[in-house]
């Protein structure tokens, strides 16, 4: 049996934060009231002095810990190789940026740092001694459309094995386990006048393995509104989904990399009134996680495509996780 701890990324409250409805402390309070025992902080979003962490901000973090009983456990690094207008950052520059993030994570007391796969496998391997120095485990995020078995992620796995470092691993994002279309994009398309039959046709094209160009041609030939394009593009992009028949294989992929995984991202897009995620099969994912021996945080991560705010749906997500895990 594993030791799955439940946390929240403060990114869940990004809409409220951006609208100045919540400040940092209110985000922490919401996470605690939802039932989280720790939180992830995305440095570029909520640290005013990023990439450094000021004494003033550390004081705020500690004040919130005393008030609400939770503190930062995970750090979301930036890893943006497109920061310059005329070229991508080199591996040396990406490494230097990641080291700054490691310093911030260490200052905050985080033991895990999520690294995005814009950092190359070669640069990631070079991060190992710095991660060990700052005592922060670094996990490459496995984000849709990647899966653990995809060539890109296997390249990182090879580097992890070659270094032999216990400080390099993965942070799987459950979005790669989606087996149905993204619900918020579907609802938005209906609101914009797209017929459900045309959305169903687009989803069927995706399940049958048609290319995006072929799917576009087919749905437009069927008379679909051009407003379908956002939903259709999502089906082939960062919120794409698999046929449910592929789920056993995807779950096995997840199981195979659990020994290398420091944290899990419990991605969710829409929790219905009955407490179920519309496209990601948590009823099948979480028992596997619980029974696999995973020891770490499952961090709720809400993608607010509906721009409705994350407070209520994050509470629903944590309640769902507790129900399934028997926590």
């Amino acid at each position: 049996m594993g030791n799955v701890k439940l946390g929240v990324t403060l990114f869940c409250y990004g809409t409220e934060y951006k609208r100045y409805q919540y400040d940092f402390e209110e985000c922490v309070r919401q996470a605690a009231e939802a039932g989280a025992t720790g939180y992830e902080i995305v440095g570029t979003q909520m640290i005013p002095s990023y990439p450094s962490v000021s004494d003033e901000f550390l004081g705020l973090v500690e004040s919130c810990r005393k008030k609400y009983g939770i503190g930062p456990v995970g750090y979301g690094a930036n890893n943006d190789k497109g920061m310059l207008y005329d070229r991508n950052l080199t591996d040396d520059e990406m490494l230097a940026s990641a080291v700054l993030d490691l310093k911030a994570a260490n200052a905050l007391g985080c033991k895990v740092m999520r690294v995005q796969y814009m950092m190359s496998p070669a640069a990631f391997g070079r991060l190992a001694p710095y991660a060990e120095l700052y005592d922060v485990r670094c996990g490459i995020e496995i984000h849709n459309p990647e899966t653990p078995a995809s060539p890109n992620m296997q390249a990182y796995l090879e580097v992890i094995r070659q270094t032999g470092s216990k400080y390099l691993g993965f942070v799987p994002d459950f979005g790669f386990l989606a087996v149905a279309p993204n619900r918020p994009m579907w609802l938005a398309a209906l609101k914009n006048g797209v017929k459900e039959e045309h959305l169903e046709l687009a989803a069927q094209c995706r399940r049958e393995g048609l290319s995006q160009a072929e799917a576009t041609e087919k749905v437009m030939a069927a008379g679909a509104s051009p407003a379908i394009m956002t939903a259709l593009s999502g089906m082939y992009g960062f919120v794409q989904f698999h046929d449910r028949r592929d789920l056993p294989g995807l779950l096995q992929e997840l199981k195979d990399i659990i020994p290398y995984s420091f944290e899990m991202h419990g991605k969710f897009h829409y929790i219905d009134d009955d407490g179920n995620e519309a496209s990601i099969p948590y009823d099948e994912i979480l028992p596997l996680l619980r029974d696999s021996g995973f020891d770490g945080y499952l961090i709720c991560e809400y993608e607010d495509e509906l721009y409705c705010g994350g407070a209520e749906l994050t509470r629903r997500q944590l309640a769902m996780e507790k129900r399934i895990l028997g926590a």
Side-chain angles (χ1 to χ4, degrees):
M1 297 294 286
N3 179 26
V4 183
K5 297 176 279 287
L6 300 182
V8 164
T9 175
L10 301 188
F11 183 79
C12 288
Y13 311 109
T15 296
E16 293 96 331
Y17 186 77
K18 183 178 180 180
R19 292 173 177 168
Y20 297 99
Q21 294 170 311
Y22 292 178
D23 58 9
F24 176 81
E25 180 173 343
E26 182 61 20
C27 290
V28 174
R29 188 182 75 82
Q30 288 288 336
E33 289 194 351
T37 61
Y39 61 83
E40 178 198 72
I41 181 169
V42 179
T44 51
Q45 184 184 43
M46 290 190 178
I47 299 179
S49 56
Y50 179 86
S52 62
V53 182
S54 68
D55 289 342
E56 179 183 8
F57 189 74
L58 287 175
L60 175 59
V61 169
E62 288 308 306
S63 174
C64 290
R65 190 195 304 271
K66 291 177 181 177
K67 285 184 181 179
Y68 309 114
I70 64 172
V73 295
Y75 183 90
N78 193 32
N79 311 123
D80 182 3
K81 67 180 180 181
M83 293 174 66
L84 302 179
Y85 76 93
D86 57 342
R87 65 172 177 85
N88 287 335
L89 297 186
T90 66
D91 275 2
D92 286 348
E93 290 166 332
M94 290 292 286
L95 179 63
S97 176
V99 171
L100 291 177
D101 280 315
L102 274 173
K103 290 180 178 180
N106 173 270
L108 288 163
C110 299
K111 293 299 183 181
V112 175
M113 185 173 88
R114 182 217 64 198
V115 180
Q116 293 169 312
Y117 58 79
M118 282 186 286
M119 172 173 263
S120 72
F124 185 61
R126 292 167 59 193
L127 191 60
Y130 300 99
E132 294 173 16
L133 175 66
Y134 288 105
D135 192 25
V136 178
R137 294 178 295 169
C138 296
I140 285 287
E141 183 179 26
I142 304 177
H143 192 288
N144 204 352
E146 302 288 344
T147 77
S150 65
N152 285 341
M153 293 302 110
Q154 287 295 301
Y156 288 103
L157 179 58
E158 181 63 24
V159 166
I160 292 165
R161 287 172 171 166
Q162 286 176 352
T163 64
S165 175
K166 300 300 183 183
Y167 282 82
L168 298 185
F170 292 110
V171 174
D173 179 296
F174 290 169
F176 85 82
L177 292 159
V179 291
N182 179 276
R183 188 62 180 167
M185 288 187 177
W186 189 284
L187 293 173
L190 292 175
K191 185 177 180 180
N192 289 330
V194 179
K195 294 181 180 179
E196 189 138 22
E197 64 191 76
H198 293 143
L199 287 166
E200 294 285 2
L201 177 59
Q204 188 60 32
C205 289
R206 179 69 185 87
R207 291 190 183 95
E208 292 175 356
L210 273 66
S211 70
Q212 184 173 347
E214 291 170 328
T216 299
E217 182 178 355
K218 194 164 185 177
V219 298
M220 297 311 290
S225 164
I228 198 175
M229 293 310 301
T230 299
L232 190 147
S233 295
M235 293 179 191
Y236 284 84
F238 283 100
V239 290
Q240 66 180 250
F241 63 97
H242 301 270
D243 191 292
R244 179 167 278 276
R245 292 173 294 183
D246 298 330
L247 183 59
L250 292 167
L251 289 172
Q252 184 60 49
E253 289 185 32
L254 175 63
K255 187 175 181 180
D256 289 343
I257 54 94
I258 283 176
Y260 302 97
S261 298
F262 304 139
E263 183 180 276
M264 301 282 172
H265 269 189
K267 175 65 59 64
F268 65 104
H269 302 274
Y270 186 87
I271 307 294
D272 64 26
D273 292 340
D274 295 324
N276 299 305
E277 218 291 334
S279 61
I280 301 172
Y282 274 87
D283 282 335
E284 297 180 67
I285 299 169
L286 294 188
L288 180 151
L289 195 64
R290 180 192 60 211
D291 300 338
S292 68
F294 174 72
D295 182 6
Y297 267 92
L298 170 59
I299 301 288
C300 293
E301 184 182 27
Y302 177 49
E303 298 283 348
D304 190 11
E305 293 103 336
L306 293 175
Y307 301 103
C308 62
E312 173 58 27
L313 292 179
T314 299
R315 282 193 288 269
R316 292 184 186 185
Q317 170 79 350
L318 277 159
M320 176 190 70
E321 291 173 346
K322 290 178 179 180
R323 169 177 58 81
I324 296 172
L325 291 168

